[in-house]
Amino acid sequence: MVNYPHKVIPKNNIKKVKKGTIDFANRGMSFEKMINDTNDYYLSRGMAVIHKKLHRSRL
C-alpha cells in the first residue's frame, strides 16, 4: 500500500487505547488553588478581602 500523499494508516495498524478507570477524587482542585492564590494576592496588596461561601447542594 502506498501512503502517499495523505499518509493513510491501514485500520489494522491502528493501536487501540485502553479505557482505564477515571478518578474524580481531586477534580477541580487546580482551579481551587488558583482561586486561593488570587485571593492571597489581593489580600497581600490590600486590594480586596474575599471570603468564599460554601454552597451546599442536594443530590
Side-chain angles (χ1 to χ4, degrees):
M1 175 178 200
V2 177
N3 289 329
Y4 179 81
H6 300 292
K7 300 283 184 185
V8 177
I9 300 171
K11 288 187 178 184
N12 58 357
N13 288 344
I14 296 174
K15 295 179 182 177
K16 292 184 179 181
V17 178
K18 292 182 182 179
K19 292 184 179 182
T21 59
I22 300 173
D23 184 19
F24 293 110
N26 292 320
R27 189 171 47 172
M29 292 308 293
S30 60
F31 182 65
E32 183 74 20
K33 182 181 180 326
M34 289 188 321
I35 292 172
N36 290 334
D37 292 343
T38 303
N39 292 344
D40 291 340
Y41 173 84
Y42 287 132
L43 183 62
S44 68
R45 286 165 177 69
M47 299 170 77
V49 178
I50 301 171
H51 298 281
K52 294 188 295 186
K53 183 177 180 181
L54 178 63
H55 174 49
R56 296 177 192 248
S57 62
R58 293 185 210 176
L59 295 177

Tab-separated table of all heavy atoms in Angstrom:
chain	number	residue	atom	x	y	z
A	1	MET	N	0.842	-1.172	0.000
A	1	MET	CA	0.000	0.000	0.000
A	1	MET	C	0.890	1.239	0.000
A	1	MET	O	1.804	1.362	0.794
A	1	MET	CB	-0.909	-0.002	1.220
A	1	MET	CG	-1.730	1.242	1.347
A	1	MET	SD	-2.790	1.124	2.772
A	1	MET	CE	-3.964	2.327	2.323
A	2	VAL	N	0.576	2.153	-0.848
A	2	VAL	CA	1.321	3.402	-0.932
A	2	VAL	C	0.675	4.408	0.003
A	2	VAL	O	-0.535	4.618	-0.048
A	2	VAL	CB	1.317	3.938	-2.385
A	2	VAL	CG1	2.033	5.263	-2.459
A	2	VAL	CG2	1.954	2.921	-3.318
A	3	ASN	N	1.450	5.039	0.878
A	3	ASN	CA	0.932	6.002	1.846
A	3	ASN	C	1.007	7.434	1.355
A	3	ASN	O	0.939	8.361	2.127
A	3	ASN	CB	1.700	5.887	3.159
A	3	ASN	CG	1.363	4.608	3.867
A	3	ASN	OD1	0.261	4.106	3.762
A	3	ASN	ND2	2.324	4.052	4.571
A	4	TYR	N	1.151	7.611	0.073
A	4	TYR	CA	1.260	8.954	-0.476
A	4	TYR	C	-0.097	9.381	-0.993
A	4	TYR	O	-0.806	8.569	-1.562
A	4	TYR	CB	2.289	8.962	-1.612
A	4	TYR	CG	2.460	10.309	-2.258
A	4	TYR	CD1	3.251	11.259	-1.672
A	4	TYR	CD2	1.806	10.612	-3.449
A	4	TYR	CE1	3.413	12.502	-2.260
A	4	TYR	CE2	1.958	11.844	-4.036
A	4	TYR	CZ	2.762	12.792	-3.436
A	4	TYR	OH	2.911	14.010	-4.011
A	5	PRO	N	-0.574	10.571	-0.887
A	5	PRO	CA	0.005	11.767	-0.289
A	5	PRO	C	-0.478	12.003	1.131
A	5	PRO	O	-0.047	12.935	1.793
A	5	PRO	CB	-0.491	12.881	-1.209
A	5	PRO	CG	-1.850	12.435	-1.619
A	5	PRO	CD	-1.728	10.924	-1.716
A	6	HIS	N	-1.409	11.216	1.638
A	6	HIS	CA	-2.045	11.527	2.915
A	6	HIS	C	-1.548	10.690	4.085
A	6	HIS	O	-2.073	10.807	5.180
A	6	HIS	CB	-3.560	11.347	2.799
A	6	HIS	CG	-4.174	12.227	1.771
A	6	HIS	ND1	-4.240	13.581	1.900
A	6	HIS	CD2	-4.729	11.936	0.565
A	6	HIS	CE1	-4.826	14.105	0.836
A	6	HIS	NE2	-5.123	13.125	0.005
A	7	LYS	N	-0.574	9.883	3.880
A	7	LYS	CA	-0.050	9.015	4.948
A	7	LYS	C	-1.180	8.239	5.616
A	7	LYS	O	-1.352	8.248	6.824
A	7	LYS	CB	0.712	9.826	5.999
A	7	LYS	CG	1.888	10.584	5.476
A	7	LYS	CD	3.047	9.670	5.243
A	7	LYS	CE	4.243	10.505	4.812
A	7	LYS	NZ	5.361	9.742	4.461
A	8	VAL	N	-2.005	7.614	4.840
A	8	VAL	CA	-3.144	6.851	5.339
A	8	VAL	C	-2.630	5.610	6.061
A	8	VAL	O	-1.806	4.868	5.543
A	8	VAL	CB	-4.080	6.453	4.186
A	8	VAL	CG1	-5.230	5.593	4.699
A	8	VAL	CG2	-4.589	7.680	3.466
A	9	ILE	N	-3.121	5.402	7.262
A	9	ILE	CA	-2.723	4.243	8.051
A	9	ILE	C	-3.816	3.185	7.903
A	9	ILE	O	-4.989	3.475	8.134
A	9	ILE	CB	-2.558	4.617	9.536
A	9	ILE	CG1	-1.498	5.696	9.682
A	9	ILE	CG2	-2.209	3.403	10.363
A	9	ILE	CD1	-1.427	6.282	11.079
A	10	PRO	N	-3.451	1.987	7.506
A	10	PRO	CA	-4.461	0.935	7.412
A	10	PRO	C	-5.116	0.684	8.772
A	10	PRO	O	-4.477	0.802	9.820
A	10	PRO	CB	-3.667	-0.290	6.972
A	10	PRO	CG	-2.402	0.241	6.408
A	10	PRO	CD	-2.139	1.532	7.096
A	11	LYS	N	-6.390	0.358	8.768
A	11	LYS	CA	-7.126	0.187	10.018
A	11	LYS	C	-6.563	-0.915	10.902
A	11	LYS	O	-6.668	-0.848	12.111
A	11	LYS	CB	-8.592	-0.075	9.727
A	11	LYS	CG	-9.306	1.142	9.227
A	11	LYS	CD	-10.783	0.892	9.117
A	11	LYS	CE	-11.460	2.178	8.641
A	11	LYS	NZ	-12.899	2.020	8.605
A	12	ASN	N	-5.941	-1.909	10.328
A	12	ASN	CA	-5.410	-2.991	11.148
A	12	ASN	C	-4.125	-2.576	11.876
A	12	ASN	O	-3.667	-3.282	12.747
A	12	ASN	CB	-5.179	-4.257	10.321
A	12	ASN	CG	-4.225	-4.018	9.165
A	12	ASN	OD1	-3.772	-2.897	8.944
A	12	ASN	ND2	-3.943	-5.072	8.419
A	13	ASN	N	-3.540	-1.418	11.541
A	13	ASN	CA	-2.333	-0.940	12.222
A	13	ASN	C	-2.632	0.090	13.307
A	13	ASN	O	-1.728	0.561	13.963
A	13	ASN	CB	-1.353	-0.325	11.214
A	13	ASN	CG	-0.701	-1.379	10.350
A	13	ASN	OD1	-0.732	-2.560	10.668
A	13	ASN	ND2	-0.108	-0.952	9.253
A	14	ILE	N	-3.882	0.467	13.479
A	14	ILE	CA	-4.246	1.455	14.490
A	14	ILE	C	-4.217	0.789	15.860
A	14	ILE	O	-4.813	-0.270	16.069
A	14	ILE	CB	-5.640	2.045	14.194
A	14	ILE	CG1	-5.607	2.808	12.876
A	14	ILE	CG2	-6.076	2.962	15.324
A	14	ILE	CD1	-6.967	3.309	12.439
A	15	LYS	N	-3.507	1.424	16.798
A	15	LYS	CA	-3.417	0.889	18.154
A	15	LYS	C	-4.662	1.273	18.932
A	15	LYS	O	-5.133	2.402	18.860
A	15	LYS	CB	-2.184	1.443	18.866
A	15	LYS	CG	-0.899	0.998	18.233
A	15	LYS	CD	0.289	1.588	18.960
A	15	LYS	CE	1.588	1.179	18.280
A	15	LYS	NZ	2.745	1.786	18.918
A	16	LYS	N	-5.183	0.341	19.675
A	16	LYS	CA	-6.364	0.600	20.485
A	16	LYS	C	-5.929	1.162	21.836
A	16	LYS	O	-4.972	0.687	22.438
A	16	LYS	CB	-7.175	-0.676	20.692
A	16	LYS	CG	-7.807	-1.171	19.418
A	16	LYS	CD	-8.680	-2.370	19.669
A	16	LYS	CE	-9.312	-2.827	18.361
A	16	LYS	NZ	-10.193	-3.969	18.565
A	17	VAL	N	-6.645	2.178	22.283
A	17	VAL	CA	-6.368	2.804	23.568
A	17	VAL	C	-7.205	2.100	24.626
A	17	VAL	O	-8.412	1.933	24.459
A	17	VAL	CB	-6.714	4.312	23.524
A	17	VAL	CG1	-6.472	4.948	24.874
A	17	VAL	CG2	-5.908	4.996	22.447
A	18	LYS	N	-6.548	1.695	25.705
A	18	LYS	CA	-7.260	1.038	26.789
A	18	LYS	C	-8.015	2.079	27.600
A	18	LYS	O	-7.494	3.132	27.924
A	18	LYS	CB	-6.291	0.308	27.719
A	18	LYS	CG	-5.614	-0.872	27.084
A	18	LYS	CD	-4.713	-1.565	28.076
A	18	LYS	CE	-3.994	-2.731	27.453
A	18	LYS	NZ	-3.105	-3.393	28.402
A	19	LYS	N	-9.258	1.771	27.896
A	19	LYS	CA	-10.047	2.647	28.741
A	19	LYS	C	-9.833	2.213	30.186
A	19	LYS	O	-10.179	1.110	30.571
A	19	LYS	CB	-11.524	2.568	28.385
A	19	LYS	CG	-11.829	3.154	27.028
A	19	LYS	CD	-13.311	3.151	26.760
A	19	LYS	CE	-13.603	3.757	25.413
A	19	LYS	NZ	-15.041	3.808	25.150
A	20	GLY	N	-9.245	3.112	30.966
A	20	GLY	CA	-8.992	2.811	32.362
A	20	GLY	C	-10.071	3.409	33.239
A	20	GLY	O	-11.027	4.023	32.772
A	21	THR	N	-9.905	3.240	34.499
A	21	THR	CA	-10.862	3.829	35.423
A	21	THR	C	-10.577	5.316	35.557
A	21	THR	O	-9.437	5.757	35.510
A	21	THR	CB	-10.760	3.158	36.805
A	21	THR	OG1	-9.430	3.317	37.292
A	21	THR	CG2	-11.096	1.688	36.726
A	22	ILE	N	-11.614	6.073	35.703
A	22	ILE	CA	-11.494	7.521	35.830
A	22	ILE	C	-11.554	7.881	37.300
A	22	ILE	O	-12.450	7.444	38.020
A	22	ILE	CB	-12.621	8.229	35.056
A	22	ILE	CG1	-12.534	7.864	33.579
A	22	ILE	CG2	-12.538	9.734	35.243
A	22	ILE	CD1	-13.690	8.358	32.756
A	23	ASP	N	-10.597	8.698	37.742
A	23	ASP	CA	-10.527	9.118	39.134
A	23	ASP	C	-11.065	10.541	39.250
A	23	ASP	O	-10.492	11.480	38.706
A	23	ASP	CB	-9.082	9.051	39.631
A	23	ASP	CG	-8.958	9.389	41.100
A	23	ASP	OD1	-9.968	9.321	41.819
A	23	ASP	OD2	-7.843	9.726	41.523
A	24	PHE	N	-12.176	10.699	39.951
A	24	PHE	CA	-12.787	12.004	40.127
A	24	PHE	C	-12.461	12.616	41.492
A	24	PHE	O	-13.062	13.607	41.885
A	24	PHE	CB	-14.313	11.900	39.995
A	24	PHE	CG	-14.754	11.535	38.617
A	24	PHE	CD1	-15.293	10.290	38.357
A	24	PHE	CD2	-14.637	12.431	37.575
A	24	PHE	CE1	-15.718	9.941	37.089
A	24	PHE	CE2	-15.051	12.105	36.297
A	24	PHE	CZ	-15.591	10.860	36.060
A	25	ALA	N	-11.513	12.054	42.209
A	25	ALA	CA	-11.252	12.466	43.588
A	25	ALA	C	-10.814	13.918	43.704
A	25	ALA	O	-11.296	14.646	44.563
A	25	ALA	CB	-10.206	11.553	44.212
A	26	ASN	N	-9.892	14.380	42.881
A	26	ASN	CA	-9.359	15.732	43.021
A	26	ASN	C	-9.813	16.657	41.901
A	26	ASN	O	-9.130	17.594	41.545
A	26	ASN	CB	-7.834	15.683	43.061
A	26	ASN	CG	-7.340	15.034	44.322
A	26	ASN	OD1	-7.896	15.258	45.388
A	26	ASN	ND2	-6.330	14.204	44.218
A	27	ARG	N	-10.959	16.395	41.364
A	27	ARG	CA	-11.474	17.203	40.269
A	27	ARG	C	-11.737	18.620	40.765
A	27	ARG	O	-12.391	18.843	41.757
A	27	ARG	CB	-12.767	16.575	39.754
A	27	ARG	CG	-13.268	17.187	38.501
A	27	ARG	CD	-14.391	16.388	37.942
A	27	ARG	NE	-15.378	16.041	38.965
A	27	ARG	CZ	-16.526	15.469	38.699
A	27	ARG	NH1	-16.829	15.148	37.481
A	27	ARG	NH2	-17.364	15.188	39.658
A	28	GLY	N	-11.191	19.596	40.080
A	28	GLY	CA	-11.399	20.996	40.432
A	28	GLY	C	-10.392	21.546	41.415
A	28	GLY	O	-10.447	22.725	41.765
A	29	MET	N	-9.455	20.742	41.890
A	29	MET	CA	-8.512	21.224	42.899
A	29	MET	C	-7.528	22.230	42.315
A	29	MET	O	-7.115	23.163	43.006
A	29	MET	CB	-7.761	20.055	43.545
A	29	MET	CG	-8.654	19.182	44.404
A	29	MET	SD	-9.610	20.072	45.641
A	29	MET	CE	-8.326	20.646	46.713
A	30	SER	N	-7.145	22.101	41.055
A	30	SER	CA	-6.234	23.087	40.476
A	30	SER	C	-6.938	24.431	40.339
A	30	SER	O	-6.343	25.487	40.573
A	30	SER	CB	-5.702	22.618	39.121
A	30	SER	OG	-6.759	22.415	38.212
A	31	PHE	N	-8.219	24.421	39.990
A	31	PHE	CA	-8.989	25.656	39.912
A	31	PHE	C	-9.134	26.280	41.297
A	31	PHE	O	-9.014	27.493	41.469
A	31	PHE	CB	-10.357	25.376	39.296
A	31	PHE	CG	-11.198	26.601	39.124
A	31	PHE	CD1	-10.810	27.604	38.257
A	31	PHE	CD2	-12.379	26.738	39.810
A	31	PHE	CE1	-11.579	28.728	38.084
A	31	PHE	CE2	-13.160	27.857	39.647
A	31	PHE	CZ	-12.766	28.861	38.782
A	32	GLU	N	-9.371	25.450	42.301
A	32	GLU	CA	-9.477	25.931	43.681
A	32	GLU	C	-8.176	26.567	44.137
A	32	GLU	O	-8.180	27.606	44.799
A	32	GLU	CB	-9.849	24.762	44.597
A	32	GLU	CG	-10.062	25.132	46.039
A	32	GLU	CD	-11.374	25.863	46.279
A	32	GLU	OE1	-12.275	25.758	45.449
A	32	GLU	OE2	-11.468	26.539	47.324
A	33	LYS	N	-7.037	25.991	43.768
A	33	LYS	CA	-5.744	26.555	44.128
A	33	LYS	C	-5.543	27.910	43.455
A	33	LYS	O	-5.039	28.849	44.075
A	33	LYS	CB	-4.609	25.610	43.747
A	33	LYS	CG	-3.241	26.147	44.162
A	33	LYS	CD	-2.127	25.224	43.766
A	33	LYS	CE	-0.769	25.706	44.162
A	33	LYS	NZ	-0.527	27.116	44.153
A	34	MET	N	-5.962	28.036	42.195
A	34	MET	CA	-5.843	29.317	41.507
A	34	MET	C	-6.687	30.386	42.189
A	34	MET	O	-6.259	31.537	42.340
A	34	MET	CB	-6.259	29.190	40.044
A	34	MET	CG	-5.280	28.417	39.206
A	34	MET	SD	-5.558	28.409	37.431
A	34	MET	CE	-7.294	28.301	37.240
A	35	ILE	N	-7.874	30.027	42.644
A	35	ILE	CA	-8.731	30.973	43.359
A	35	ILE	C	-8.069	31.398	44.661
A	35	ILE	O	-8.031	32.589	44.999
A	35	ILE	CB	-10.118	30.351	43.629
A	35	ILE	CG1	-10.871	30.181	42.316
A	35	ILE	CG2	-10.918	31.208	44.602
A	35	ILE	CD1	-12.152	29.410	42.455
A	36	ASN	N	-7.521	30.438	45.403
A	36	ASN	CA	-6.854	30.766	46.663
A	36	ASN	C	-5.640	31.659	46.434
A	36	ASN	O	-5.408	32.604	47.196
A	36	ASN	CB	-6.454	29.488	47.397
A	36	ASN	CG	-7.644	28.745	47.942
A	36	ASN	OD1	-8.687	29.333	48.213
A	36	ASN	ND2	-7.507	27.445	48.081
A	37	ASP	N	-4.850	31.378	45.402
A	37	ASP	CA	-3.683	32.206	45.090
A	37	ASP	C	-4.101	33.628	44.729
A	37	ASP	O	-3.470	34.602	45.141
A	37	ASP	CB	-2.869	31.592	43.956
A	37	ASP	CG	-2.186	30.300	44.355
A	37	ASP	OD1	-2.072	30.035	45.576
A	37	ASP	OD2	-1.769	29.552	43.450
A	38	THR	N	-5.173	33.754	43.966
A	38	THR	CA	-5.676	35.069	43.587
A	38	THR	C	-6.160	35.831	44.809
A	38	THR	O	-5.869	37.025	44.978
A	38	THR	CB	-6.820	34.932	42.564
A	38	THR	OG1	-6.344	34.198	41.439
A	38	THR	CG2	-7.321	36.279	42.112
A	39	ASN	N	-6.882	35.155	45.693
A	39	ASN	CA	-7.361	35.793	46.918
A	39	ASN	C	-6.196	36.252	47.792
A	39	ASN	O	-6.229	37.350	48.366
A	39	ASN	CB	-8.269	34.853	47.697
A	39	ASN	CG	-9.578	34.601	46.985
A	39	ASN	OD1	-9.951	35.319	46.068
A	39	ASN	ND2	-10.274	33.566	47.405
A	40	ASP	N	-5.144	35.437	47.902
A	40	ASP	CA	-3.960	35.816	48.674
A	40	ASP	C	-3.261	37.025	48.058
A	40	ASP	O	-2.772	37.904	48.774
A	40	ASP	CB	-2.979	34.646	48.763
A	40	ASP	CG	-3.509	33.509	49.618
A	40	ASP	OD1	-4.432	33.749	50.438
A	40	ASP	OD2	-3.004	32.383	49.453
A	41	TYR	N	-3.220	37.099	46.735
A	41	TYR	CA	-2.609	38.231	46.035
A	41	TYR	C	-3.345	39.526	46.380
A	41	TYR	O	-2.730	40.522	46.739
A	41	TYR	CB	-2.644	37.972	44.528
A	41	TYR	CG	-2.198	39.151	43.698
A	41	TYR	CD1	-0.849	39.380	43.464
A	41	TYR	CD2	-3.132	40.027	43.151
A	41	TYR	CE1	-0.435	40.461	42.696
A	41	TYR	CE2	-2.723	41.106	42.382
A	41	TYR	CZ	-1.380	41.319	42.164
A	41	TYR	OH	-0.977	42.387	41.413
A	42	TYR	N	-4.671	39.502	46.267
A	42	TYR	CA	-5.453	40.700	46.576
A	42	TYR	C	-5.327	41.090	48.043
A	42	TYR	O	-5.242	42.268	48.375
A	42	TYR	CB	-6.922	40.489	46.222
A	42	TYR	CG	-7.203	40.499	44.743
A	42	TYR	CD1	-7.978	39.507	44.161
A	42	TYR	CD2	-6.700	41.499	43.916
A	42	TYR	CE1	-8.245	39.516	42.804
A	42	TYR	CE2	-6.955	41.514	42.569
A	42	TYR	CZ	-7.739	40.520	42.014
A	42	TYR	OH	-8.002	40.526	40.675
A	43	LEU	N	-5.330	40.100	48.929
A	43	LEU	CA	-5.235	40.374	50.363
A	43	LEU	C	-3.876	40.960	50.716
A	43	LEU	O	-3.786	41.928	51.487
A	43	LEU	CB	-5.477	39.086	51.155
A	43	LEU	CG	-5.489	39.212	52.676
A	43	LEU	CD1	-6.621	40.143	53.111
A	43	LEU	CD2	-5.666	37.842	53.315
A	44	SER	N	-2.789	40.431	50.133
A	44	SER	CA	-1.444	40.917	50.460
A	44	SER	C	-1.210	42.352	49.982
A	44	SER	O	-0.394	43.070	50.541
A	44	SER	CB	-0.387	39.993	49.851
A	44	SER	OG	-0.401	40.089	48.437
A	45	ARG	N	-1.922	42.784	48.965
A	45	ARG	CA	-1.766	44.138	48.445
A	45	ARG	C	-2.845	45.085	48.952
A	45	ARG	O	-2.886	46.246	48.557
A	45	ARG	CB	-1.768	44.107	46.922
A	45	ARG	CG	-0.431	43.554	46.428
A	45	ARG	CD	-0.465	43.163	44.993
A	45	ARG	NE	0.834	42.704	44.509
A	45	ARG	CZ	1.446	41.607	44.851
A	45	ARG	NH1	0.927	40.825	45.762
A	45	ARG	NH2	2.598	41.267	44.321
A	46	GLY	N	-3.707	44.592	49.827
A	46	GLY	CA	-4.760	45.426	50.395
A	46	GLY	C	-5.812	45.851	49.387
A	46	GLY	O	-6.466	46.874	49.581
A	47	MET	N	-5.958	45.105	48.334
A	47	MET	CA	-6.909	45.469	47.285
A	47	MET	C	-8.321	44.973	47.586
A	47	MET	O	-9.291	45.638	47.236
A	47	MET	CB	-6.448	44.911	45.935
A	47	MET	CG	-5.101	45.444	45.491
A	47	MET	SD	-4.448	44.574	44.065
A	47	MET	CE	-5.411	45.288	42.758
A	48	ALA	N	-8.420	43.812	48.217
A	48	ALA	CA	-9.732	43.230	48.497
A	48	ALA	C	-9.597	42.142	49.545
A	48	ALA	O	-8.531	41.554	49.716
A	48	ALA	CB	-10.339	42.647	47.231
A	49	VAL	N	-10.675	41.909	50.248
A	49	VAL	CA	-10.772	40.774	51.156
A	49	VAL	C	-11.929	39.931	50.646
A	49	VAL	O	-13.071	40.374	50.630
A	49	VAL	CB	-11.031	41.227	52.609
A	49	VAL	CG1	-11.180	40.019	53.522
A	49	VAL	CG2	-9.914	42.127	53.087
A	50	ILE	N	-11.609	38.736	50.204
A	50	ILE	CA	-12.606	37.876	49.591
A	50	ILE	C	-12.827	36.664	50.475
A	50	ILE	O	-11.876	35.998	50.882
A	50	ILE	CB	-12.149	37.430	48.181
A	50	ILE	CG1	-11.924	38.658	47.310
A	50	ILE	CG2	-13.162	36.477	47.570
A	50	ILE	CD1	-11.272	38.363	45.992
A	51	HIS	N	-14.085	36.407	50.786
A	51	HIS	CA	-14.445	35.239	51.580
A	51	HIS	C	-15.233	34.291	50.697
A	51	HIS	O	-16.185	34.697	50.037
A	51	HIS	CB	-15.300	35.637	52.790
A	51	HIS	CG	-14.596	36.538	53.739
A	51	HIS	ND1	-13.688	36.080	54.657
A	51	HIS	CD2	-14.642	37.890	53.885
A	51	HIS	CE1	-13.218	37.095	55.347
A	51	HIS	NE2	-13.775	38.208	54.897
A	52	LYS	N	-14.823	33.045	50.697
A	52	LYS	CA	-15.556	32.042	49.938
A	52	LYS	C	-16.727	31.552	50.779
A	52	LYS	O	-16.615	31.387	51.980
A	52	LYS	CB	-14.658	30.867	49.571
A	52	LYS	CG	-13.557	31.220	48.609
A	52	LYS	CD	-12.820	29.997	48.136
A	52	LYS	CE	-12.095	29.346	49.275
A	52	LYS	NZ	-11.264	28.239	48.861
A	53	LYS	N	-17.838	31.348	50.127
A	53	LYS	CA	-19.027	30.856	50.813
A	53	LYS	C	-19.298	29.441	50.348
A	53	LYS	O	-19.359	29.170	49.143
A	53	LYS	CB	-20.214	31.756	50.487
A	53	LYS	CG	-21.466	31.358	51.218
A	53	LYS	CD	-22.583	32.327	50.919
A	53	LYS	CE	-23.838	31.914	51.667
A	53	LYS	NZ	-24.946	32.818	51.384
A	54	LEU	N	-19.428	28.535	51.288
A	54	LEU	CA	-19.712	27.157	50.980
A	54	LEU	C	-21.141	27.034	50.483
A	54	LEU	O	-22.078	27.524	51.114
A	54	LEU	CB	-19.519	26.271	52.208
A	54	LEU	CG	-19.838	24.791	52.038
A	54	LEU	CD1	-18.900	24.161	51.019
A	54	LEU	CD2	-19.721	24.083	53.363
A	55	HIS	N	-21.317	26.423	49.338
A	55	HIS	CA	-22.633	26.223	48.773
A	55	HIS	C	-22.971	24.746	48.910
A	55	HIS	O	-22.345	23.893	48.311
A	55	HIS	CB	-22.663	26.646	47.303
A	55	HIS	CG	-23.948	26.348	46.620
A	55	HIS	ND1	-25.165	26.681	47.145
A	55	HIS	CD2	-24.222	25.757	45.434
A	55	HIS	CE1	-26.122	26.306	46.321
A	55	HIS	NE2	-25.567	25.733	45.272
A	56	ARG	N	-23.952	24.474	49.711
A	56	ARG	CA	-24.359	23.087	49.915
A	56	ARG	C	-25.465	22.758	48.920
A	56	ARG	O	-26.471	23.433	48.841
A	56	ARG	CB	-24.868	22.885	51.330
A	56	ARG	CG	-23.798	23.122	52.363
A	56	ARG	CD	-24.393	22.978	53.755
A	56	ARG	NE	-23.442	23.478	54.725
A	56	ARG	CZ	-22.823	22.711	55.588
A	56	ARG	NH1	-23.041	21.428	55.614
A	56	ARG	NH2	-21.972	23.222	56.446
A	57	SER	N	-25.232	21.736	48.173
A	57	SER	CA	-26.240	21.323	47.190
A	57	SER	C	-26.792	19.963	47.562
A	57	SER	O	-26.125	19.142	48.179
A	57	SER	CB	-25.622	21.288	45.793
A	57	SER	OG	-24.575	20.343	45.765
A	58	ARG	N	-27.999	19.755	47.162
A	58	ARG	CA	-28.630	18.462	47.417
A	58	ARG	C	-28.542	17.623	46.169
A	58	ARG	O	-28.736	18.088	45.063
A	58	ARG	CB	-30.104	18.644	47.755
A	58	ARG	CG	-30.319	19.338	49.054
A	58	ARG	CD	-31.786	19.344	49.345
A	58	ARG	NE	-32.077	20.547	50.122
A	58	ARG	CZ	-33.283	20.890	50.484
A	58	ARG	NH1	-34.311	20.157	50.138
A	58	ARG	NH2	-33.467	21.966	51.188
A	59	LEU	N	-28.237	16.357	46.335
A	59	LEU	CA	-28.173	15.445	45.191
A	59	LEU	C	-29.349	14.518	45.213
A	59	LEU	O	-29.865	14.095	46.118
A	59	LEU	CB	-26.860	14.653	45.214
A	59	LEU	CG	-25.610	15.492	45.036
A	59	LEU	CD1	-24.387	14.595	45.149
A	59	LEU	CD2	-25.616	16.159	43.680
